[in-house]
Amino acid sequence: MKPAPFDYRAPATLQEAIDLLRTEPEAVLIAGGQSLMPVLAFRLASPSLVVDLRRVAGLGDIAIDDGGVRLGARVRWRDIDDDPRLQTAHPLLREAIAHVAHYQIRNRGTVGGSLAHADPAAELPGIAVTCDAEITLVGAAGARTIGASEFFTGPMSTARRPDEIITELNLPSWPKNRRWAFQEFAQRQGDFALAGVALFYDADQGGRVRNAHVGIIGASDRPQRLTAVETLLNGHAVGEGLFREAAAAATRAVDPPEDLHADAAYRRGLVATLVARGLRAAQRRGA
Amino acid sequence: MQVNFQLNGEPVEVDIEPRLHLADCLREMLRLTGTHLGCEHGVCGACTVIVDGAAVRSCLLLAVQAEGSSVVTVEGLSTDEALTPLQAAFRKHHALQCGFCTPGMLMTAHALLTEEPDADADRIRSVLSGNLCRCTGYIPIVEAVLEARAAYRKSDKP
Amino acid sequence: MIGRNRYIGSPVERIEDLRFLRGRGEFVGDLVKDGMLHAAILRSPVAHGRVRRLDTAAAHALPGVNAVITAAEIGAVPSIPLRLLPLPGTERFLQPVIAADRVRYVGEPVAVVLAESAALAEDGVGAIALDIEELPPVADRRAAGRDQVLLFEESGTNLAMQFTATLGDADAAFRDAPYARRERFQTQRYTALPMEPRGLLAEWDAGRRRMTVLGAAKVPFFNRDTLAAMLGLAAADVDLIENDVGGGFGARGEFYPEDFLIPFAARHIGRPVRWIEDRREHLTAMNHARQADCEVEIACRRDGTILGLRGEVFVDLGAYVRTNGLIQPRTLAQFFSGPYRVPNIRITSTALLTNKTPSGTYRAPGRYEASFFCERLIELAAGDLGIDSAEMRRRNLIAAAEMPYKLARLEPGGPAADTECDSGDYREALERCLAEFGWAEKCALRGRLIDGRYHGIAVACFIEGSGAGPKETARLELEPDGTVAVYVGSAAVGQGLETVMAQIAADTLGVPLDQVRVLHGSTPYLQEGYGAFASRSTVLGGSAVFQGARALLDKIRAAAAARLGVSAADVELIDGRARTSDGRALSFSELAADGLRVETAFANNNRLTYSYGSAAAHVAVDPGTGRVELLDFLVVEDVGRIVNPLTLHGQAIGGVVQGLGGAFMENLVYDENGQLLAGNLADYLIPTATDFPRIRAIALENHPSTSNPLGVKGAGEGAIIPVGGLMANAVADALASFGAMPNQLPLSPARVWQMGPMEEPVGIP
């Protein structure tokens, strides 16, 4: 399974990389290559040029401040693992990323690569959407920022223009007492999730849910927030009854795909289970 | 294209097509065939090598991307005819049968224990979950890696 | 034997490990020859069709492409013959070495491209214009059975073969039975998936008119003969060389189309040709296995004594009958009853052709499926009759006093139509298993909900018919340095052959292990050989080595006696030296000049020898997700005699994990157009290190085999046999309160979820 032939360039600057993309319509970008290389191996794509970001500086930082958490596009899963600040700065991100793939892939796979690849079952796009993150892209027309939920347009499909390069993912800041959970179900460790739920809420003085964000992966054609479930949760006291209602609402809110691993009914069932378990886990965090 | 990198401590230079992945570069151009290809799409882990200290799937790395890096393969684990403690532990526990996945298992375990010599059985299993084996059922491999930890705790260069 | 056994019975570390651990194994993909070209194969993208146009011009035009070979260049070549069970009627369904005007499965070879690199060869494949007029695909065995669309029009049918296994009078037994139950069961299509894909490196010596092929495995001698016939050469002019082999499990090493195409290509182009299969093509090219469904019934007395088994099994064979394709359907029928006493049996097993990759044997072919079907039926009967699962097995296991015990007669069966369980105490293995597993204590958990999961246990029993004949060959030669070279016709597939044979030779010869060198498999070593399948290497190959070593000792003794001027009875052989009573001695190396060598064969009249055992499992099922966690698994097997406990244990654990893969996750799913959906390792799931960490195996050697001088029985396939049935029964036990009926494998999370409450229990954290 050797790729079709292509040229290769490793530009020194972001602008050079953009120029290459702009002038060569059949070019693709490579960073970690963990998603692109299998695509090339199966000859699902035959680009004329592969543009490697390995020499482009400034894309590998994790910046944490009052504005939130900014992940450079070349930040690897392993860098997220290794950064102790994220334990408090964004525990939901950290927990979700712990489920990504395997040891060797985690040493190479990147934030930007995952966002660009846009697998509907991938963890980071799910976190991005659930947390109202913003994605910065730089292209021939300059830089722009787009909300995560607008960025993902369908399975393996995004709003990125061919000449644009993702440079950063910006997650809003994370308050200390936030309740959160990440629950995923995959057949084996590291497999793509058959379904996954990322959720958080802030509790008010009376222990009622406020600002609920419930996002799912793997159960739709793109990561999505389940606004019906969020509405159901907001303003109510947490408890098993509420969790079950939320779980039931979640099954009605998703339209899961069917594939050789799971049918829609099962994925709906999984979503219910994972929403309920997530809400219980989030509640325990506040206890 | 010309590519220069360090291979098992020695500098090498190869002239290759961009589409050649690192595994094929090692196997076909440099004739180090210990790194094996079991899937070529990044799932089985048989092609695992260590690049700049990190275990990676060499079938998912273009050889040109190894420019300036340090690459270690299974052939570079031992410098003489003796087995390293990790290799000896594999033999003792019968952690290999057909031997095809073994180099990948060794490189992954070596990378893990170098960084985490106290890794417990759950951590070892979790890290090795990215290396497929069809013969052993994994249990003897985990036992071998657990035993090998002692050697990694003792010195910097096992 | 001379003295006490130093090696047999000891956990000797393997000789072959030294090269594997250093990355110095020599798998066929590691080998090169000067001037070598690389081959890639164009395979049919459709399941069923007529080839309208095959245009290779664009491929030829690509730089680096040397040749494109199609049916036109190959001409008339015999189809691939059956190695086993070449029954009349099967000749209609044999696979051609390359598709000419008809394709019958996705993946069928249509053309071979030769180029300067594998990548260029693949480019060449992509440039071939292949136009196929699609025919309706026969998507499953039911469609096949209707005989509306035929894969082979001239034959008039898609029914490849039908077997019947008979014992006593099944109809009478069912007529009079106080209890009977009928059910349907299904095992899925899946595959052996060795970690090394296949490969071949062929070289044609035009001067001497000889063909050499590297990358052989399993049955090099049969394949050598087959290839020679196809190439129009004498067998003596073809060498098949066995290198290191990355797992076989029954699938690698049979004669596939590529086993002709690559050598043909080498002769055609006059340069060595190497072909290395990639994983995507492997999944459509390598033998599939195990897909079967049945409707079967069990008849019992009220006390659980089985009176009869009756029913119909259907095997989805795929598009052609391959070299050993009939083994699964015939074995399924004959061994349906497993280790149980069933006096009345009629099982028919029908192999049907469909537009899928053809199937062949995979570790315990037919037995794994039969055990699933039979153990499920037995468990359902036990439940209906109110009999404990373990007691049900106890009551029905063939007793030691009944040995030899005749199993069902198979028609058409040829020399293997009748078989009998030869020796052993099946009940002893069961009791040991139950005790070590803690069956009595674990019974308290059956069906209980604990911490949000339902618990279940199950037990199953099995037999493994091993040591398939007819024989195996060995040649032993005393080398000038005093070591002994042992050539054996057995094939290494990763099972530790070199070490096990060396142990047997070293102990028999009374020399240290490092004084023995084992060479195996390659056709130049021996006049004939039979190979590695049906767990026969230790039984037959080991016995041949043993026999040969004894004979070599006799020759050494005689030669020493002649040299030392004494009678042979006065010569003592110890530790590589021949000594007289008055203290004179000669070392083996001093005797080597006499050219001492022995060639021998060990035959067993095609009588199988049966390993046997029991296995038990404890699972916890998560009703919210359908995940099944295996909390404990124990298999106990009596193998007659243990040569190397280390490698034996490896076979058991490895076999169990393969069985678990089949029970829970492996599935070659096809769509209604005959397209394989599980076409890569992200979709075809095999167990990883985190899936099944708790497996125990105990080996017994309480009842040696009487079929060979070593007393050994085969041990490569036993542990896998009960796994499917065991997992299904354990899940059924766990979800019994929901009436769960796990009658279909694999037990994927979706399927298990559907059998349960399909929601979480109330009040769970």
Side-chain angles (χ1 to χ4, degrees):
Chain A
M1 287 156 54
K2 320 297 179 188
F6 51 79
D7 288 329
Y8 169 88
R9 300 282 293 279
T13 68
L14 193 65
Q15 193 53 52
E16 278 177 53
I18 293 166
D19 289 338
L20 285 167
L21 294 180
R22 188 174 47 79
T23 53
E24 186 55 62
E26 303 290 307
V28 297
L29 281 166
I30 194 169
Q34 307 301 280
S35 301
L36 179 68
M37 291 295 286
V39 167
L40 299 181
F42 279 101
R43 300 199 178 200
L44 294 172
S46 305
S48 56
L49 170 69
V50 169
V51 179
D52 193 344
L53 293 173
R54 62 194 293 269
R55 293 172 63 209
V56 176
L59 298 176
D61 297 322
I62 301 176
I64 302 175
D65 56 34
D66 294 337
V69 174
R70 288 196 311 285
L71 304 172
R74 286 185 59 215
V75 166
R76 302 165 304 164
W77 308 126
R78 161 189 197 128
D79 299 324
I80 293 173
D81 273 346
D82 287 349
D83 193 329
R85 301 174 296 168
L86 290 171
Q87 209 135 306
T88 41
H90 214 298
L92 175 60
L93 169 73
R94 204 178 147 81
E95 175 65 33
I97 298 313
H99 288 84
V100 173
H102 296 286
Y103 188 66
Q104 298 94 329
I105 291 177
R106 298 170 69 77
N107 284 329
R108 298 271 316 162
T110 65
V111 163
S114 173
L115 295 173
H117 193 63
D119 191 305
E123 288 83 357
L124 185 67
I127 295 300
V129 167
T130 303
C131 297
D132 297 321
E134 296 204 312
I135 295 163
T136 305
L137 300 134
V138 184
R144 65 181 177 119
T145 301
I146 179 171
S149 49
E150 273 180 78
F151 180 72
F152 298 104
T153 55
M156 326 304 283
S157 168
T158 70
R160 183 183 74 88
R161 293 192 274 267
D163 61 288
E164 288 182 311
I165 300 176
I166 297 168
T167 56
E168 190 176 88
L169 177 72
N170 196 330
L171 296 157
S173 65
W174 186 268
K176 225 166 55 132
N177 293 317
R178 175 161 283 175
R179 317 272 197 267
W180 63 272
F182 182 82
Q183 296 274 333
E184 173 183 299
F185 183 83
Q187 283 175 272
R188 303 171 305 178
Q189 182 175 314
D191 283 347
F192 275 109
L194 294 186
V197 174
L199 61 86
F200 67 81
Y201 62 88
D202 301 309
D204 69 13
Q205 298 287 54
R208 283 179 290 268
V209 174
R210 216 174 32 80
N211 192 31
H213 281 58
V214 179
I216 51 108
I217 60 172
S220 180
D221 67 341
R222 72 191 85 173
Q224 66 179 99
R225 276 174 63 184
L226 302 182
T227 47
V229 177
E230 294 168 353
T231 305
L232 189 150
L233 289 168
N234 284 332
H236 291 97
V238 295
E240 186 63 25
L242 182 70
F243 298 161
R244 296 214 161 235
E245 275 182 56
T251 65
R252 291 189 294 272
V254 293
D255 186 17
E258 305 222 316
D259 61 24
L260 73 163
H261 299 295
D263 57 20
Y266 173 66
R267 278 199 163 91
R268 266 188 241 276
L270 261 190
V271 168
T273 298
L274 297 175
V275 165
R277 289 183 184 174
L279 289 169
R280 286 184 206 115
Q283 180 191 18
R284 276 200 302 276
R285 287 211 160 85
Chain B
M1 297 190 63
Q2 256 185 7
V3 188
N4 289 268
F5 57 94
Q6 288 278 107
L7 178 58
N8 296 329
E10 299 291 327
V12 294
E13 181 180 282
V14 284
D15 195 355
I16 53 165
E17 296 189 275
R19 62 170 164 169
L20 190 76
H21 53 57
L22 180 61
D24 270 343
C25 179
L26 295 167
R27 291 175 51 76
E28 305 297 334
M29 318 265 339
L30 295 162
R31 298 306 301 150
L32 290 184
T33 57
T35 302
H36 297 149
L37 287 172
C39 78
E40 271 187 308
H41 55 279
V43 177
C44 80
C47 69
T48 304
V49 298
I50 295 174
V51 175
D52 296 330
V56 298
R57 298 182 181 319
S58 61
C59 75
L60 295 187
L61 202 66
L62 295 171
V64 291
Q65 293 183 294
E67 173 69 38
S69 287
S70 136
V71 177
V72 180
T73 69
V74 63
E75 292 91 344
L77 279 183
S78 52
T79 50
D80 56 25
E81 285 308 297
L83 295 180
T84 67
L86 179 64
Q87 290 167 327
F90 265 60
R91 187 170 189 224
K92 175 177 167 190
H93 289 273
H94 190 38
L96 62 153
Q97 291 184 25
C98 81
F100 196 77
C101 77
T102 306
M105 289 286 180
L106 287 170
M107 299 316 288
T108 304
H110 178 64
L112 170 65
L113 293 185
T114 302
E115 281 195 343
E116 302 175 41
D118 291 315
D120 64 11
D122 281 341
R123 174 64 177 156
I124 291 167
R125 276 191 280 269
S126 176
V127 168
L128 289 180
S129 70
N131 290 73
L132 298 180
C133 172
R134 198 53 162 163
C135 294
T136 67
Y138 303 104
I139 287 170
I141 297 177
V142 175
E143 286 170 3
V145 177
L146 282 167
E147 174 160 334
R149 291 180 306 173
Y152 287 79
R153 284 171 184 140
K154 269 196 298 224
S155 71
D156 292 335
K157 285 175 181 266
Chain C
M1 308 256 171
I2 309 287
R4 213 168 37 84
N5 284 334
R6 255 187 294 185
Y7 303 112
I8 294 179
S10 291
V12 174
E13 288 185 359
R14 295 191 335 164
I15 299 162
E16 45 273 76
D17 288 358
L18 295 173
R19 62 183 184 276
F20 294 146
L21 289 166
R22 294 205 180 94
R24 291 194 210 146
E26 286 189 348
F27 300 88
V28 64
D30 302 336
L31 306 172
V32 294
K33 289 205 179 269
D34 288 341
M36 181 176 89
L37 291 176
H38 299 255
I41 297 173
L42 171 67
R43 299 179 180 278
S44 173
V46 305
H48 198 193
R50 278 188 248 277
V51 178
R52 269 201 292 241
R53 192 173 66 97
L54 182 62
D55 188 342
T56 62
H60 274 114
L62 286 177
V65 170
N66 300 74
V68 183
I69 296 167
T70 68
E73 283 74 30
I74 290 170
V77 169
S79 292
I80 300 170
L82 296 196
R83 181 172 69 80
L84 298 173
L85 297 181
L87 297 164
T90 54
E91 62 283 341
R92 298 173 288 174
F93 308 122
L94 302 180
Q95 181 162 7
V97 295
I98 196 162
D101 54 306
R102 183 77 168 257
V103 291
R104 295 186 175 89
Y105 65 97
V106 170
E108 181 162 9
V110 179
V112 184
V113 175
L114 305 180
E116 299 290 338
S117 75
L120 289 167
E122 218 178 304
D123 294 343
V125 165
I128 296 175
L130 176 60
D131 182 18
I132 298 178
E133 174 203 336
E134 292 194 44
L135 295 170
V138 177
D140 57 44
R141 73 94 176 152
R142 285 202 160 76
R146 290 194 280 273
D147 275 344
Q148 280 162 359
V149 176
L150 298 175
L151 272 75
F152 301 87
E153 281 89 3
E154 280 157 26
S155 70
T157 181
N158 292 319
L159 197 155
M161 189 57 58
Q162 188 170 77
F163 297 94
T164 308
T166 324
L167 198 62
D169 186 341
D171 289 337
F174 275 85
R175 243 190 341 261
D176 305 330
Y179 166 89
R181 179 154 182 174
R182 180 189 304 187
E183 286 295 337
R184 291 183 172 173
F185 304 104
Q186 206 171 320
T187 50
Q188 79 279 30
R189 195 176 203 78
Y190 65 107
T191 184
L193 209 97
M195 288 320 299
E196 184 202 10
R198 289 179 300 153
L200 296 162
L201 173 48
E203 185 170 30
W204 171 244
D205 181 338
R208 292 200 193 85
R209 301 192 59 73
R210 300 194 79 255
M211 175 68 70
T212 302
V213 183
L214 289 85
K218 190 183 186 189
V219 284
F221 287 84
F222 175 85
N223 289 358
R224 185 269 314 266
D225 294 347
T226 303
L227 177 62
M230 287 175 170
L231 291 174
L233 298 170
D237 290 325
V238 178
D239 288 331
L240 258 55
I241 309 298
E242 191 174 276
N243 305 98
D244 286 321
V245 170
F249 316 119
R252 185 203 309 276
E254 291 296 331
F255 200 99
Y256 289 87
E258 297 85 3
D259 292 286
F260 167 81
L261 293 171
I262 303 307
F264 175 87
R267 187 171 70 174
H268 178 82
I269 199 79
R271 289 170 66 174
V273 173
R274 189 178 80 182
W275 166 73
I276 303 300
E277 187 180 59
D278 65 46
R279 187 61 71 182
R280 174 181 43 190
E281 73 182 313
H282 175 97
L283 286 165
T284 62
M286 187 84 147
N287 279 343
H288 288 186
R290 300 243 198 276
Q291 186 170 19
D293 71 276
C294 68
E295 184 164 336
V296 287
E297 41 186 344
I298 188 170
C300 298
R301 293 211 192 92
R302 289 265 140 214
D303 68 356
T305 309
I306 301 172
L307 295 170
L309 284 169
R310 185 169 69 173
E312 295 180 312
V313 176
F314 298 93
V315 167
D316 185 327
L317 210 63
Y320 296 102
V321 182
R322 274 196 173 155
T323 56
N324 60 9
L326 295 180
I327 296 298
Q328 179 210 7
R330 58 85 68 230
T331 302
L332 230 178
Q334 190 173 35
F335 293 93
F336 199 99
S337 53
Y340 301 109
R341 179 192 314 108
V342 181
N344 302 288
I345 297 174
R346 194 182 68 249
I347 303 283
T348 61
S349 178
T350 306
L352 291 152
L353 299 165
T354 61
N355 289 116
K356 297 177 187 169
T357 299
S359 58
T361 60
Y362 165 39
R363 205 165 191 171
R367 295 176 204 268
Y368 179 94
E369 301 89 295
S371 175
F372 170 64
F373 299 156
C374 186
E375 291 287 351
R376 276 299 292 143
L377 255 186
I378 289 177
E379 194 68 16
L380 289 167
D384 288 344
L385 296 169
I387 297 166
D388 167 75
S389 309
E391 184 57 31
M392 186 75 178
R393 270 77 188 175
R394 218 177 253 128
R395 277 179 206 174
N396 288 292
L397 271 180
I398 298 163
E402 292 174 274
M403 298 293 177
Y405 181 90
K406 218 166 179 241
L407 296 175
R409 157 170 270 254
L410 186 79
E411 297 286 359
D418 292 300
T419 185
E420 43 188 36
C421 298
D422 55 340
S423 64
D425 188 338
Y426 298 176
R427 172 113 179 229
E428 180 182 73
L430 171 64
E431 300 303 347
R432 179 73 186 273
C433 179
L434 294 170
E436 298 274 353
F437 178 74
W439 179 266
E441 301 77 53
K442 290 193 163 92
C443 274
L445 302 170
R446 301 186 81 164
R448 282 193 45 202
L449 178 64
I450 303 167
D451 288 337
R453 295 190 302 177
Y454 293 95
H455 287 242
I457 59 175
V459 64
C461 307
F462 61 92
I463 48 172
E464 173 187 355
S466 61
K471 56 177 150 167
E472 197 49 87
T473 56
R475 182 173 90 245
L476 287 82
E477 293 188 1
L478 187 56
E479 304 272 283
D481 61 358
T483 64
V484 177
V486 179
Y487 298 87
V488 64
S490 305
V493 288
Q495 77 277 48
L497 186 81
E498 285 170 43
T499 304
V500 169
M501 295 298 139
Q503 287 174 257
I504 293 168
D507 267 345
T508 309
L509 294 166
V511 301
L513 196 67
D514 62 7
Q515 296 297 292
V516 171
R517 194 167 56 102
V518 175
L519 300 113
H520 53 80
S522 299
T523 58
Y525 289 154
L526 292 151
Q527 275 286 83
E528 57 176 0
Y530 294 83
F533 53 97
S535 302
R536 66 195 304 279
S537 298
T538 307
V539 177
L540 287 146
S543 295
V545 168
F546 172 74
Q547 208 168 261
R550 296 273 293 253
L552 185 64
L553 281 180
D554 287 344
K555 287 202 173 181
I556 291 173
R557 189 181 280 108
R563 292 258 214 112
L564 295 167
V566 298
S567 74
D570 283 340
V571 176
E572 208 189 352
L573 297 176
I574 293 187
D575 277 347
R577 294 174 69 75
R579 277 199 338 217
T580 64
S581 47
D582 61 4
R584 288 173 300 143
L586 288 169
S587 69
F588 279 13
S589 64
E590 288 172 286
L591 291 160
D594 291 11
L596 300 173
R597 62 203 292 281
V598 162
E599 280 202 47
T600 187
F602 178 82
N604 71 346
N605 289 323
N606 284 303
R607 259 183 61 219
L608 297 177
T609 183
Y610 286 83
S611 303
Y612 58 90
S614 293
H618 173 197
V619 304
V621 180
D622 180 340
T625 63
R627 189 192 296 291
V628 179
E629 185 180 357
L630 183 61
L631 296 177
D632 192 14
F633 187 106
L634 169 65
V635 59
V636 174
E637 188 176 16
D638 194 315
V639 298
R641 181 170 187 195
I642 301 170
V643 177
N644 188 324
L646 200 54
T647 58
L648 174 65
H649 193 249
Q651 290 300 308
I653 304 292
V656 169
V657 173
Q658 284 192 359
L660 292 167
F664 290 113
M665 57 181 79
E666 297 181 44
N667 200 351
L668 289 168
V669 182
Y670 275 85
D671 71 11
E672 67 279 4
N673 295 314
Q675 293 291 331
L676 179 63
L677 298 179
N680 58 64
L681 294 188
D683 284 323
Y684 186 82
L685 308 178
I686 70 168
T688 71
T690 46
D691 291 304
F692 307 112
R694 275 171 294 274
I695 299 168
R696 303 184 278 150
I698 294 173
L700 304 175
E701 45 180 355
N702 294 338
H703 298 274
S705 172
T706 51
S707 80
N708 64 84
L710 294 169
V712 296
K713 299 178 177 180
E717 293 169 276
I720 197 176
I721 292 170
V723 179
L726 204 54
M727 290 304 111
N729 285 337
V731 169
D733 192 46
L735 298 177
S737 51
F738 305 100
M741 291 284 278
N743 293 347
Q744 205 176 344
L745 295 182
L747 301 170
S748 62
R751 205 168 257 152
V752 172
W753 177 81
Q754 219 137 42
M755 282 187 246
M758 292 189 279
E759 63 179 8
E760 292 201 286
V762 179
I764 300 307

